Amino acid sequence: MKDNDSVIIGIGSAQYSHTLKDPFTAGERHLMISSTLENEGIYQFYLVPIEDVNSNPLWVAHVESLTPKFNKVYTNNPLVRRLFREKGYEVHSMELMNRISWSGTHIREKIISGEDWKNDVPESVYEIINEIDGINRLKDLSRTDEDTI
């Protein structure tokens, strides 16, 4: 936000939910992001759910079709960075903070194993996950009906 008047945030893989990798719906993720930003006094954002198209040559055009006009892209994903650069966009990386503790994968693992994870997410995200019974959802998703050998 220090370099831009507003920001468009893409909620990727928006078609997925109720899986271990993507346990929350696009709407739930939207609520988590918007609540966190608003609690920090940030209101100059626009959230866009973006479903995967599974075609790298079409990806940038797909994103452009879903979002307001933009001229800069911020990503740490090497493929996304390359695809937008090839289409002429100015692309920046962001500094990742405490990535070991604050990765979604690590936090989901802590929730499933019953470890304390409250301090790894903003308070509003913690409240939303509890409100939607996200803890039990993750635990259910981690189970299997396969026979153990």
Side-chain angles (χ1 to χ4, degrees):
M1 291 305 301
K2 67 180 181 186
D3 296 327
N4 300 284
D5 294 331
S6 63
V7 64
I8 302 165
I9 300 171
I11 301 172
S13 300
Q15 75 275 22
Y16 296 119
S17 71
H18 295 79
T19 68
L20 277 177
K21 186 175 182 300
D22 295 293
F24 305 113
T25 66
E28 291 164 343
R29 290 183 266 165
H30 186 292
L31 184 60
M32 291 177 197
I33 295 166
S34 62
S35 298
T36 299
L37 292 173
E38 289 169 0
N39 286 341
E40 293 296 320
I42 300 169
Y43 301 97
Q44 306 87 346
F45 63 89
Y46 186 78
L47 296 174
V48 181
I50 302 174
E51 294 185 352
D52 296 342
V53 292
N54 298 316
S55 175
N56 292 338
L58 299 176
W59 177 245
V60 173
H62 176 62
V63 172
E64 290 170 330
S65 75
L66 296 172
T67 61
K69 187 169 174 38
F70 59 93
N71 54 17
K72 292 182 196 173
V73 174
Y74 292 83
T75 183
N76 287 352
N77 181 300
L79 175 60
V80 173
R81 186 173 28 244
R82 170 163 290 284
L83 294 174
F84 277 96
R85 275 195 188 129
E86 287 178 358
K87 294 294 183 180
Y89 282 93
E90 179 182 336
V91 181
H92 302 272
S93 294
M94 301 160 290
E95 180 184 353
L96 296 175
M97 299 171 55
N98 196 3
R99 191 65 175 154
I100 292 171
S101 296
W102 292 343
S103 78
T105 300
H106 183 69
I107 294 167
R108 289 189 300 273
E109 289 169 353
K110 287 175 84 171
I111 293 171
I112 291 166
S113 67
E115 294 178 54
D116 183 26
W117 56 277
K118 181 178 182 178
N119 293 326
D120 294 328
V121 298
E123 180 67 27
S124 59
V125 172
Y126 180 79
E127 291 171 3
I128 292 165
I129 290 173
N130 281 309
E131 182 180 310
I132 64 172
D133 197 29
I135 296 167
N136 286 325
R137 182 187 304 176
L138 277 163
K139 288 181 178 182
D140 286 344
L141 293 170
S142 71
R143 293 185 181 102
T144 179
D145 61 356
E146 298 283 321
D147 289 333
T148 57
I149 297 177

